[in-house]
Amino acid sequence: MHLDRHISGIITHYGAWTYLILFAIIFCETGLVITPFLPGDSLLFVLGAMAAVGDLQLTLLVLGLSLAAVSGNILNYAIGVSLSNRVMNKQAIPFVKQAYIKRTHEFFEKYGAKTIIITRFVPILRTFAPFMAGVGSMPYGRFTIYNIIGGTAWVLVGILSGFFFGNLPLVRKNFSSVILAIVIISLVPAALEFIKHKKTDKH
């Protein structure tokens, strides 16, 4: 809700190290299945808005966070490969919800390799998509192509949205509400899929 204030505080205290901190947040949000709760879409929007007023450097953000998103997915893919036997045998994995694994698997069944791109814009599932790609032994070359496209597109859309619209008077006046709206809107696709599958299960 107040990401702009938190980021401003980080910039004040850490200066240029802020970019490394932001890299770590995006890397962990996409690269570790135990941290899907970290901010993603809303964070990118806030960073774009701050870049528009000169608090952060736009090019560094886009390049650095695109690299974080892509490399995070590569780590997640590798983790999926290493834990594939446990997932296939439905063994419990500490801090990982089976429901998220199941929902991501259903996305793969419906969208195939494009899931790596589509779920970039869906919180939680974007953390589990590369993991399940590794579990399912998706060819690494194909995964890499979709990973680069999806990661770069996600960062560009998020940051440029904030850059061009984050400082409009109406948005600035209701900034916290806008951030909340971004979070809610980003969860809509997953919610619709959940409702759809619930109805299917009943039939």
Side-chain angles (χ1 to χ4, degrees):
M1 291 292 291
H2 302 291
L3 274 174
D4 53 330
R5 298 179 192 174
H6 295 306
I7 300 301
S8 292
I10 291 174
I11 294 172
T12 300
H13 285 90
Y14 298 102
W17 289 100
T18 298
Y19 294 99
L20 184 59
I21 294 171
L22 296 174
F23 180 98
I25 293 172
I26 295 298
F27 179 85
C28 291
E29 199 263 359
T30 59
L32 301 174
V33 291
I34 61 172
T35 54
F37 53 83
L38 289 173
D41 307 286
S42 55
L43 175 61
L44 295 178
F45 183 87
V46 170
L47 296 177
M50 298 183 75
V53 296
D55 291 340
L56 293 166
Q57 216 284 322
L58 180 64
T59 303
L60 277 177
L61 284 177
V62 171
L63 293 178
L65 299 188
S66 292
L67 178 61
V70 171
S71 57
N73 263 20
I74 291 173
L75 172 63
N76 219 336
Y77 176 92
I79 294 173
V81 171
S82 67
L83 295 177
S84 59
N85 288 334
R86 294 188 66 173
V87 175
M88 291 300 184
N89 294 324
K90 296 184 178 180
Q91 296 179 18
I93 300 174
F95 309 110
V96 177
K97 290 187 177 182
Q98 285 293 326
Y100 294 158
I101 292 176
K102 180 182 177 183
R103 188 66 58 221
T104 310
H105 177 68
E106 290 168 351
F107 257 75
F108 269 105
E109 287 188 331
K110 184 173 182 179
Y111 300 109
K114 289 183 291 187
T115 297
I116 299 299
I117 296 177
I118 296 170
T119 55
R120 275 291 186 181
F121 300 89
V122 184
I124 298 177
L125 294 190
R126 71 167 150 260
T127 304
F128 281 83
F131 175 78
M132 291 303 296
V135 169
S137 300
M138 179 188 292
Y140 185 72
R142 181 186 297 178
F143 168 78
T144 299
I145 292 172
Y146 284 102
N147 180 27
I148 292 173
I149 294 173
T152 304
W154 176 57
V155 170
L156 279 172
V157 169
I159 289 180
L160 293 182
S161 295
F163 188 85
F164 290 113
F165 303 109
N167 292 292
L168 295 176
L170 181 61
V171 175
R172 196 73 249 177
K173 184 178 180 181
N174 302 282
F175 204 71
S176 294
S177 298
V178 170
I179 296 303
L180 179 60
I182 291 172
V183 173
I184 293 173
I185 291 171
S186 65
L187 289 170
V188 167
L192 291 176
E193 283 290 325
F194 178 79
I195 294 170
K196 179 181 176 181
H197 281 282
K198 278 293 183 182
K199 289 182 178 179
T200 302
D201 292 341
K202 288 181 179 179
H203 294 295

